[in-house]
Amino acid sequence: MQSRVLLVEDDDELRELLARYLNNQGFSVREAANGRDGLALALAQDCDIVVLDIMLPDISGLEVLRELRAETHLPVVLLTARGDETDRIVGFEVGADDYIPKPCNPRELVARLQALLRRIAWDQKTEVNAARTYGDLRVEPGHRRIYQNDKALELTATEYEVLQVLLAHAGSAVRKTDLMQWALGRRLEAYDRTLDMHVSNLRRKLGNEDPPRIETVRGLGYSYRVPE
């Protein structure tokens, strides 16, 4: 079954190029040239993943993402201007799963989409679906949900992956390189703060405790501390 991608991009030439490449790689592609059309298509649940440009002519991609996150956990990959760190940080705070800078390499985009969809499909198919408890957190892999004191945490697909990996290794340090590969499906590159932003968001959603549950292990990575 083809994975359905919604491509929201106002640059006609780039959108057509990416859509053609994605179609050739086996994806089913829907297109939108502005934010409102893209939001309507995404909310109609007519796709499995969204590729969303930040700079759109009517409403910004970040506003589209905010409205999406109020309604759905649909995975979203942002297209951002190269070198614009602010857009990426805000995008992760709002709920993006990943980003790719423009002008983007179509092969890299396909690799990012496949990695994200593969992680979601694996969690849905795996039989290691029994709920697991870590202090006040309960992980339900079959539904891809994590509950804190029986209240569901509002996590993006990637935040879920990062947290469930850390929980599976609770009390032990997980190298950044390993966490990036296991949770995001790609290698950690120099100056890539994607993982740090997801951890920052998770700390906030877990309650910004002091000391934090997700501890930084200097020079190595992160460790989840189960509260007593």
PDB file of all heavy atoms in Angstrom, residues 98-130:
ATOM      1  N   ASP A  98      10.413  16.694  12.129  1.00  0.00           N
ATOM      2  CA  ASP A  98      11.734  16.795  11.525  1.00  0.00           C
ATOM      3  C   ASP A  98      11.716  18.000  10.597  1.00  0.00           C
ATOM      4  O   ASP A  98      10.682  18.629  10.378  1.00  0.00           O
ATOM      5  CB  ASP A  98      12.084  15.517  10.754  1.00  0.00           C
ATOM      6  CG  ASP A  98      13.592  15.295  10.616  1.00  0.00           C
ATOM      7  OD1 ASP A  98      14.366  16.214  10.959  1.00  0.00           O
ATOM      8  OD2 ASP A  98      13.992  14.207  10.162  1.00  0.00           O
ATOM      9  N   TYR A  99      12.883  18.328  10.059  1.00  0.00           N
ATOM     10  CA  TYR A  99      12.960  19.435   9.096  1.00  0.00           C
ATOM     11  C   TYR A  99      13.999  19.085   8.044  1.00  0.00           C
ATOM     12  O   TYR A  99      14.862  18.224   8.247  1.00  0.00           O
ATOM     13  CB  TYR A  99      13.350  20.749   9.790  1.00  0.00           C
ATOM     14  CG  TYR A  99      14.838  20.862  10.042  1.00  0.00           C
ATOM     15  CD1 TYR A  99      15.676  21.506   9.143  1.00  0.00           C
ATOM     16  CD2 TYR A  99      15.416  20.274  11.175  1.00  0.00           C
ATOM     17  CE1 TYR A  99      17.046  21.574   9.361  1.00  0.00           C
ATOM     18  CE2 TYR A  99      16.766  20.329  11.410  1.00  0.00           C
ATOM     19  CZ  TYR A  99      17.589  20.995  10.490  1.00  0.00           C
ATOM     20  OH  TYR A  99      18.943  21.050  10.707  1.00  0.00           O
ATOM     21  N   ILE A 100      13.907  19.766   6.930  1.00  0.00           N
ATOM     22  CA  ILE A 100      14.924  19.646   5.901  1.00  0.00           C
ATOM     23  C   ILE A 100      15.096  21.024   5.272  1.00  0.00           C
ATOM     24  O   ILE A 100      14.100  21.692   4.967  1.00  0.00           O
ATOM     25  CB  ILE A 100      14.553  18.574   4.849  1.00  0.00           C
ATOM     26  CG1 ILE A 100      15.696  18.324   3.886  1.00  0.00           C
ATOM     27  CG2 ILE A 100      13.279  18.923   4.108  1.00  0.00           C
ATOM     28  CD1 ILE A 100      15.519  17.077   3.031  1.00  0.00           C
ATOM     29  N   PRO A 101      16.340  21.518   5.145  1.00  0.00           N
ATOM     30  CA  PRO A 101      16.541  22.871   4.619  1.00  0.00           C
ATOM     31  C   PRO A 101      16.359  22.934   3.108  1.00  0.00           C
ATOM     32  O   PRO A 101      16.596  21.969   2.388  1.00  0.00           O
ATOM     33  CB  PRO A 101      17.983  23.193   5.017  1.00  0.00           C
ATOM     34  CG  PRO A 101      18.654  21.856   5.129  1.00  0.00           C
ATOM     35  CD  PRO A 101      17.605  20.894   5.595  1.00  0.00           C
ATOM     36  N   LYS A 102      15.906  24.089   2.640  1.00  0.00           N
ATOM     37  CA  LYS A 102      15.772  24.348   1.202  1.00  0.00           C
ATOM     38  C   LYS A 102      17.006  25.133   0.726  1.00  0.00           C
ATOM     39  O   LYS A 102      17.540  25.945   1.466  1.00  0.00           O
ATOM     40  CB  LYS A 102      14.511  25.175   0.926  1.00  0.00           C
ATOM     41  CG  LYS A 102      13.220  24.461   1.239  1.00  0.00           C
ATOM     42  CD  LYS A 102      12.036  25.391   1.210  1.00  0.00           C
ATOM     43  CE  LYS A 102      11.788  25.997  -0.164  1.00  0.00           C
ATOM     44  NZ  LYS A 102      10.573  26.847  -0.172  1.00  0.00           N
ATOM     45  N   PRO A 103      17.432  24.911  -0.533  1.00  0.00           N
ATOM     46  CA  PRO A 103      16.868  23.931  -1.475  1.00  0.00           C
ATOM     47  C   PRO A 103      17.213  22.519  -1.031  1.00  0.00           C
ATOM     48  O   PRO A 103      18.336  22.244  -0.626  1.00  0.00           O
ATOM     49  CB  PRO A 103      17.560  24.277  -2.790  1.00  0.00           C
ATOM     50  CG  PRO A 103      18.847  24.930  -2.381  1.00  0.00           C
ATOM     51  CD  PRO A 103      18.564  25.665  -1.106  1.00  0.00           C
ATOM     52  N   CYS A 104      16.215  21.629  -1.069  1.00  0.00           N
ATOM     53  CA  CYS A 104      16.418  20.308  -0.499  1.00  0.00           C
ATOM     54  C   CYS A 104      16.760  19.279  -1.575  1.00  0.00           C
ATOM     55  O   CYS A 104      16.375  19.408  -2.736  1.00  0.00           O
ATOM     56  CB  CYS A 104      15.177  19.865   0.271  1.00  0.00           C
ATOM     57  SG  CYS A 104      13.722  19.596  -0.736  1.00  0.00           S
ATOM     58  N   ASN A 105      17.496  18.288  -1.131  1.00  0.00           N
ATOM     59  CA  ASN A 105      17.821  17.159  -1.988  1.00  0.00           C
ATOM     60  C   ASN A 105      16.647  16.182  -1.939  1.00  0.00           C
ATOM     61  O   ASN A 105      16.318  15.671  -0.866  1.00  0.00           O
ATOM     62  CB  ASN A 105      19.102  16.489  -1.471  1.00  0.00           C
ATOM     63  CG  ASN A 105      19.557  15.348  -2.352  1.00  0.00           C
ATOM     64  OD1 ASN A 105      18.744  14.588  -2.879  1.00  0.00           O
ATOM     65  ND2 ASN A 105      20.857  15.212  -2.508  1.00  0.00           N
ATOM     66  N   PRO A 106      15.990  15.906  -3.070  1.00  0.00           N
ATOM     67  CA  PRO A 106      14.837  15.002  -3.052  1.00  0.00           C
ATOM     68  C   PRO A 106      15.142  13.642  -2.440  1.00  0.00           C
ATOM     69  O   PRO A 106      14.300  13.053  -1.769  1.00  0.00           O
ATOM     70  CB  PRO A 106      14.452  14.884  -4.533  1.00  0.00           C
ATOM     71  CG  PRO A 106      14.947  16.147  -5.150  1.00  0.00           C
ATOM     72  CD  PRO A 106      16.224  16.456  -4.416  1.00  0.00           C
ATOM     73  N   ARG A 107      16.354  13.132  -2.651  1.00  0.00           N
ATOM     74  CA  ARG A 107      16.712  11.826  -2.085  1.00  0.00           C
ATOM     75  C   ARG A 107      16.736  11.882  -0.565  1.00  0.00           C
ATOM     76  O   ARG A 107      16.309  10.938   0.107  1.00  0.00           O
ATOM     77  CB  ARG A 107      18.082  11.382  -2.608  1.00  0.00           C
ATOM     78  CG  ARG A 107      18.092  10.973  -4.071  1.00  0.00           C
ATOM     79  CD  ARG A 107      19.457  10.483  -4.501  1.00  0.00           C
ATOM     80  NE  ARG A 107      19.869   9.306  -3.752  1.00  0.00           N
ATOM     81  CZ  ARG A 107      21.077   8.761  -3.828  1.00  0.00           C
ATOM     82  NH1 ARG A 107      22.003   9.309  -4.627  1.00  0.00           N
ATOM     83  NH2 ARG A 107      21.376   7.681  -3.136  1.00  0.00           N
ATOM     84  N   GLU A 108      17.247  13.000  -0.020  1.00  0.00           N
ATOM     85  CA  GLU A 108      17.262  13.138   1.436  1.00  0.00           C
ATOM     86  C   GLU A 108      15.840  13.247   1.972  1.00  0.00           C
ATOM     87  O   GLU A 108      15.514  12.671   3.018  1.00  0.00           O
ATOM     88  CB  GLU A 108      18.065  14.357   1.855  1.00  0.00           C
ATOM     89  CG  GLU A 108      18.172  14.495   3.372  1.00  0.00           C
ATOM     90  CD  GLU A 108      19.013  15.669   3.815  1.00  0.00           C
ATOM     91  OE1 GLU A 108      19.534  16.406   2.949  1.00  0.00           O
ATOM     92  OE2 GLU A 108      19.130  15.862   5.036  1.00  0.00           O
ATOM     93  N   LEU A 109      14.981  13.967   1.277  1.00  0.00           N
ATOM     94  CA  LEU A 109      13.593  14.079   1.709  1.00  0.00           C
ATOM     95  C   LEU A 109      12.937  12.710   1.749  1.00  0.00           C
ATOM     96  O   LEU A 109      12.251  12.366   2.722  1.00  0.00           O
ATOM     97  CB  LEU A 109      12.821  15.010   0.770  1.00  0.00           C
ATOM     98  CG  LEU A 109      11.322  15.147   1.061  1.00  0.00           C
ATOM     99  CD1 LEU A 109      11.076  15.696   2.461  1.00  0.00           C
ATOM    100  CD2 LEU A 109      10.650  16.034   0.009  1.00  0.00           C
ATOM    101  N   VAL A 110      13.132  11.913   0.718  1.00  0.00           N
ATOM    102  CA  VAL A 110      12.561  10.569   0.684  1.00  0.00           C
ATOM    103  C   VAL A 110      13.084   9.738   1.850  1.00  0.00           C
ATOM    104  O   VAL A 110      12.330   9.028   2.520  1.00  0.00           O
ATOM    105  CB  VAL A 110      12.876   9.873  -0.660  1.00  0.00           C
ATOM    106  CG1 VAL A 110      12.574   8.375  -0.582  1.00  0.00           C
ATOM    107  CG2 VAL A 110      12.059  10.500  -1.783  1.00  0.00           C
ATOM    108  N   ALA A 111      14.381   9.843   2.128  1.00  0.00           N
ATOM    109  CA  ALA A 111      14.973   9.076   3.225  1.00  0.00           C
ATOM    110  C   ALA A 111      14.360   9.480   4.561  1.00  0.00           C
ATOM    111  O   ALA A 111      14.064   8.624   5.405  1.00  0.00           O
ATOM    112  CB  ALA A 111      16.483   9.283   3.251  1.00  0.00           C
ATOM    113  N   ARG A 112      14.134  10.792   4.772  1.00  0.00           N
ATOM    114  CA  ARG A 112      13.537  11.263   6.020  1.00  0.00           C
ATOM    115  C   ARG A 112      12.100  10.749   6.154  1.00  0.00           C
ATOM    116  O   ARG A 112      11.680  10.305   7.219  1.00  0.00           O
ATOM    117  CB  ARG A 112      13.528  12.791   6.065  1.00  0.00           C
ATOM    118  CG  ARG A 112      14.892  13.446   6.021  1.00  0.00           C
ATOM    119  CD  ARG A 112      15.613  13.397   7.347  1.00  0.00           C
ATOM    120  NE  ARG A 112      16.876  14.113   7.282  1.00  0.00           N
ATOM    121  CZ  ARG A 112      17.025  15.392   7.613  1.00  0.00           C
ATOM    122  NH1 ARG A 112      15.986  16.079   8.052  1.00  0.00           N
ATOM    123  NH2 ARG A 112      18.202  15.971   7.531  1.00  0.00           N
ATOM    124  N   LEU A 113      11.339  10.823   5.071  1.00  0.00           N
ATOM    125  CA  LEU A 113       9.954  10.367   5.103  1.00  0.00           C
ATOM    126  C   LEU A 113       9.879   8.872   5.374  1.00  0.00           C
ATOM    127  O   LEU A 113       9.078   8.411   6.194  1.00  0.00           O
ATOM    128  CB  LEU A 113       9.256  10.694   3.781  1.00  0.00           C
ATOM    129  CG  LEU A 113       9.092  12.175   3.430  1.00  0.00           C
ATOM    130  CD1 LEU A 113       8.437  12.329   2.055  1.00  0.00           C
ATOM    131  CD2 LEU A 113       8.282  12.908   4.481  1.00  0.00           C
ATOM    132  N   GLN A 114      10.713   8.105   4.685  1.00  0.00           N
ATOM    133  CA  GLN A 114      10.694   6.658   4.858  1.00  0.00           C
ATOM    134  C   GLN A 114      11.076   6.266   6.281  1.00  0.00           C
ATOM    135  O   GLN A 114      10.481   5.351   6.868  1.00  0.00           O
ATOM    136  CB  GLN A 114      11.632   5.999   3.853  1.00  0.00           C
ATOM    137  CG  GLN A 114      11.113   6.049   2.428  1.00  0.00           C
ATOM    138  CD  GLN A 114      12.107   5.494   1.425  1.00  0.00           C
ATOM    139  OE1 GLN A 114      13.331   5.497   1.661  1.00  0.00           O
ATOM    140  NE2 GLN A 114      11.613   5.025   0.286  1.00  0.00           N
ATOM    141  N   ALA A 115      12.072   6.951   6.856  1.00  0.00           N
ATOM    142  CA  ALA A 115      12.505   6.634   8.218  1.00  0.00           C
ATOM    143  C   ALA A 115      11.383   6.904   9.215  1.00  0.00           C
ATOM    144  O   ALA A 115      11.117   6.086  10.108  1.00  0.00           O
ATOM    145  CB  ALA A 115      13.743   7.456   8.578  1.00  0.00           C
ATOM    146  N   LEU A 116      10.708   8.036   9.061  1.00  0.00           N
ATOM    147  CA  LEU A 116       9.635   8.385   9.987  1.00  0.00           C
ATOM    148  C   LEU A 116       8.458   7.429   9.849  1.00  0.00           C
ATOM    149  O   LEU A 116       7.926   6.926  10.853  1.00  0.00           O
ATOM    150  CB  LEU A 116       9.188   9.824   9.718  1.00  0.00           C
ATOM    151  CG  LEU A 116       8.154  10.449  10.661  1.00  0.00           C
ATOM    152  CD1 LEU A 116       8.553  10.269  12.123  1.00  0.00           C
ATOM    153  CD2 LEU A 116       7.972  11.922  10.329  1.00  0.00           C
ATOM    154  N   LEU A 117       8.064   7.125   8.634  1.00  0.00           N
ATOM    155  CA  LEU A 117       6.946   6.211   8.415  1.00  0.00           C
ATOM    156  C   LEU A 117       7.287   4.793   8.853  1.00  0.00           C
ATOM    157  O   LEU A 117       6.431   4.068   9.359  1.00  0.00           O
ATOM    158  CB  LEU A 117       6.556   6.227   6.932  1.00  0.00           C
ATOM    159  CG  LEU A 117       5.885   7.514   6.447  1.00  0.00           C
ATOM    160  CD1 LEU A 117       5.810   7.529   4.923  1.00  0.00           C
ATOM    161  CD2 LEU A 117       4.496   7.665   7.050  1.00  0.00           C
ATOM    162  N   ARG A 118       8.537   4.393   8.678  1.00  0.00           N
ATOM    163  CA  ARG A 118       8.963   3.044   9.073  1.00  0.00           C
ATOM    164  C   ARG A 118       8.886   2.877  10.584  1.00  0.00           C
ATOM    165  O   ARG A 118       8.445   1.833  11.073  1.00  0.00           O
ATOM    166  CB  ARG A 118      10.387   2.803   8.568  1.00  0.00           C
ATOM    167  CG  ARG A 118      10.851   1.362   8.646  1.00  0.00           C
ATOM    168  CD  ARG A 118      12.037   1.127   7.745  1.00  0.00           C
ATOM    169  NE  ARG A 118      13.075   2.133   7.906  1.00  0.00           N
ATOM    170  CZ  ARG A 118      13.518   2.917   6.929  1.00  0.00           C
ATOM    171  NH1 ARG A 118      12.997   2.841   5.721  1.00  0.00           N
ATOM    172  NH2 ARG A 118      14.477   3.799   7.154  1.00  0.00           N
ATOM    173  N   ARG A 119       9.271   3.916  11.329  1.00  0.00           N
ATOM    174  CA  ARG A 119       9.210   3.824  12.795  1.00  0.00           C
ATOM    175  C   ARG A 119       7.766   3.703  13.262  1.00  0.00           C
ATOM    176  O   ARG A 119       7.461   2.919  14.168  1.00  0.00           O
ATOM    177  CB  ARG A 119       9.864   5.056  13.422  1.00  0.00           C
ATOM    178  CG  ARG A 119      11.352   5.156  13.165  1.00  0.00           C
ATOM    179  CD  ARG A 119      12.007   6.124  14.124  1.00  0.00           C
ATOM    180  NE  ARG A 119      11.383   7.430  14.163  1.00  0.00           N
ATOM    181  CZ  ARG A 119      11.691   8.431  13.349  1.00  0.00           C
ATOM    182  NH1 ARG A 119      12.588   8.253  12.388  1.00  0.00           N
ATOM    183  NH2 ARG A 119      11.105   9.613  13.481  1.00  0.00           N
ATOM    184  N   ILE A 120       6.886   4.471  12.655  1.00  0.00           N
ATOM    185  CA  ILE A 120       5.476   4.415  13.035  1.00  0.00           C
ATOM    186  C   ILE A 120       4.890   3.044  12.713  1.00  0.00           C
ATOM    187  O   ILE A 120       4.187   2.444  13.526  1.00  0.00           O
ATOM    188  CB  ILE A 120       4.690   5.523  12.312  1.00  0.00           C
ATOM    189  CG1 ILE A 120       5.152   6.893  12.819  1.00  0.00           C
ATOM    190  CG2 ILE A 120       3.183   5.355  12.526  1.00  0.00           C
ATOM    191  CD1 ILE A 120       4.591   8.055  12.033  1.00  0.00           C
ATOM    192  N   ALA A 121       5.185   2.528  11.518  1.00  0.00           N
ATOM    193  CA  ALA A 121       4.660   1.226  11.107  1.00  0.00           C
ATOM    194  C   ALA A 121       5.185   0.115  12.012  1.00  0.00           C
ATOM    195  O   ALA A 121       4.455  -0.818  12.362  1.00  0.00           O
ATOM    196  CB  ALA A 121       5.038   0.949   9.657  1.00  0.00           C
ATOM    197  N   TRP A 122       6.449   0.205  12.410  1.00  0.00           N
ATOM    198  CA  TRP A 122       7.026  -0.825  13.273  1.00  0.00           C
ATOM    199  C   TRP A 122       6.298  -0.881  14.607  1.00  0.00           C
ATOM    200  O   TRP A 122       5.948  -1.943  15.106  1.00  0.00           O
ATOM    201  CB  TRP A 122       8.514  -0.550  13.499  1.00  0.00           C
ATOM    202  CG  TRP A 122       9.121  -1.446  14.546  1.00  0.00           C
ATOM    203  CD1 TRP A 122       9.402  -1.135  15.837  1.00  0.00           C
ATOM    204  CD2 TRP A 122       9.488  -2.813  14.383  1.00  0.00           C
ATOM    205  NE1 TRP A 122       9.931  -2.205  16.492  1.00  0.00           N
ATOM    206  CE2 TRP A 122      10.004  -3.256  15.621  1.00  0.00           C
ATOM    207  CE3 TRP A 122       9.446  -3.700  13.310  1.00  0.00           C
ATOM    208  CZ2 TRP A 122      10.461  -4.536  15.813  1.00  0.00           C
ATOM    209  CZ3 TRP A 122       9.904  -4.991  13.507  1.00  0.00           C
ATOM    210  CH2 TRP A 122      10.403  -5.402  14.743  1.00  0.00           C
ATOM    211  N   ASP A 123       6.044   0.294  15.201  1.00  0.00           N
ATOM    212  CA  ASP A 123       5.350   0.318  16.488  1.00  0.00           C
ATOM    213  C   ASP A 123       3.937  -0.232  16.371  1.00  0.00           C
ATOM    214  O   ASP A 123       3.428  -0.869  17.290  1.00  0.00           O
ATOM    215  CB  ASP A 123       5.282   1.753  17.029  1.00  0.00           C
ATOM    216  CG  ASP A 123       6.596   2.187  17.642  1.00  0.00           C
ATOM    217  OD1 ASP A 123       7.363   1.322  18.067  1.00  0.00           O
ATOM    218  OD2 ASP A 123       6.866   3.395  17.676  1.00  0.00           O
ATOM    219  N   GLN A 124       3.300  -0.019  15.240  1.00  0.00           N
ATOM    220  CA  GLN A 124       1.928  -0.491  15.066  1.00  0.00           C
ATOM    221  C   GLN A 124       1.874  -1.994  14.840  1.00  0.00           C
ATOM    222  O   GLN A 124       0.896  -2.651  15.185  1.00  0.00           O
ATOM    223  CB  GLN A 124       1.273   0.245  13.884  1.00  0.00           C
ATOM    224  CG  GLN A 124       1.011   1.714  14.190  1.00  0.00           C
ATOM    225  CD  GLN A 124       0.539   2.484  12.975  1.00  0.00           C
ATOM    226  OE1 GLN A 124       0.739   2.069  11.828  1.00  0.00           O
ATOM    227  NE2 GLN A 124      -0.098   3.621  13.206  1.00  0.00           N
ATOM    228  N   LYS A 125       2.946  -2.572  14.271  1.00  0.00           N
ATOM    229  CA  LYS A 125       2.936  -3.991  13.940  1.00  0.00           C
ATOM    230  C   LYS A 125       3.554  -4.880  15.010  1.00  0.00           C
ATOM    231  O   LYS A 125       3.216  -6.046  15.127  1.00  0.00           O
ATOM    232  CB  LYS A 125       3.693  -4.226  12.625  1.00  0.00           C
ATOM    233  CG  LYS A 125       2.983  -3.680  11.395  1.00  0.00           C
ATOM    234  CD  LYS A 125       3.812  -3.925  10.152  1.00  0.00           C
ATOM    235  CE  LYS A 125       3.133  -3.373   8.894  1.00  0.00           C
ATOM    236  NZ  LYS A 125       3.954  -3.566   7.693  1.00  0.00           N
ATOM    237  N   THR A 126       4.501  -4.316  15.769  1.00  0.00           N
ATOM    238  CA  THR A 126       5.236  -5.154  16.705  1.00  0.00           C
ATOM    239  C   THR A 126       4.309  -5.773  17.744  1.00  0.00           C
ATOM    240  O   THR A 126       3.323  -5.172  18.157  1.00  0.00           O
ATOM    241  CB  THR A 126       6.347  -4.350  17.412  1.00  0.00           C
ATOM    242  OG1 THR A 126       7.056  -5.236  18.284  1.00  0.00           O
ATOM    243  CG2 THR A 126       5.763  -3.224  18.257  1.00  0.00           C
ATOM    244  N   GLU A 127       4.651  -6.977  18.166  1.00  0.00           N
ATOM    245  CA  GLU A 127       3.842  -7.667  19.156  1.00  0.00           C
ATOM    246  C   GLU A 127       4.329  -7.376  20.573  1.00  0.00           C
ATOM    247  O   GLU A 127       3.814  -7.913  21.529  1.00  0.00           O
ATOM    248  CB  GLU A 127       3.859  -9.174  18.894  1.00  0.00           C
ATOM    249  CG  GLU A 127       2.904  -9.611  17.792  1.00  0.00           C
ATOM    250  CD  GLU A 127       1.472  -9.149  18.030  1.00  0.00           C
ATOM    251  OE1 GLU A 127       0.974  -9.290  19.173  1.00  0.00           O
ATOM    252  OE2 GLU A 127       0.858  -8.620  17.102  1.00  0.00           O
ATOM    253  N   VAL A 128       5.389  -6.536  20.676  1.00  0.00           N
ATOM    254  CA  VAL A 128       5.826  -6.144  22.007  1.00  0.00           C
ATOM    255  C   VAL A 128       4.942  -4.972  22.416  1.00  0.00           C
ATOM    256  O   VAL A 128       5.389  -3.858  22.632  1.00  0.00           O
ATOM    257  CB  VAL A 128       7.316  -5.729  22.015  1.00  0.00           C
ATOM    258  CG1 VAL A 128       7.810  -5.529  23.444  1.00  0.00           C
ATOM    259  CG2 VAL A 128       8.165  -6.771  21.313  1.00  0.00           C
ATOM    260  N   ASN A 129       3.631  -5.249  22.467  1.00  0.00           N
ATOM    261  CA  ASN A 129       2.653  -4.178  22.622  1.00  0.00           C
ATOM    262  C   ASN A 129       2.061  -4.078  24.018  1.00  0.00           C
ATOM    263  O   ASN A 129       1.174  -3.256  24.243  1.00  0.00           O
ATOM    264  CB  ASN A 129       1.509  -4.347  21.602  1.00  0.00           C
ATOM    265  CG  ASN A 129       1.881  -3.757  20.256  1.00  0.00           C
ATOM    266  OD1 ASN A 129       2.808  -2.958  20.167  1.00  0.00           O
ATOM    267  ND2 ASN A 129       1.159  -4.155  19.227  1.00  0.00           N
ATOM    268  N   ALA A 130       2.531  -4.890  24.936  1.00  0.00           N
ATOM    269  CA  ALA A 130       2.014  -4.800  26.288  1.00  0.00           C
ATOM    270  C   ALA A 130       2.410  -3.466  26.908  1.00  0.00           C
ATOM    271  O   ALA A 130       3.524  -2.978  26.713  1.00  0.00           O
ATOM    272  CB  ALA A 130       2.565  -5.944  27.132  1.00  0.00           C
TER     273      ALA A 130
END
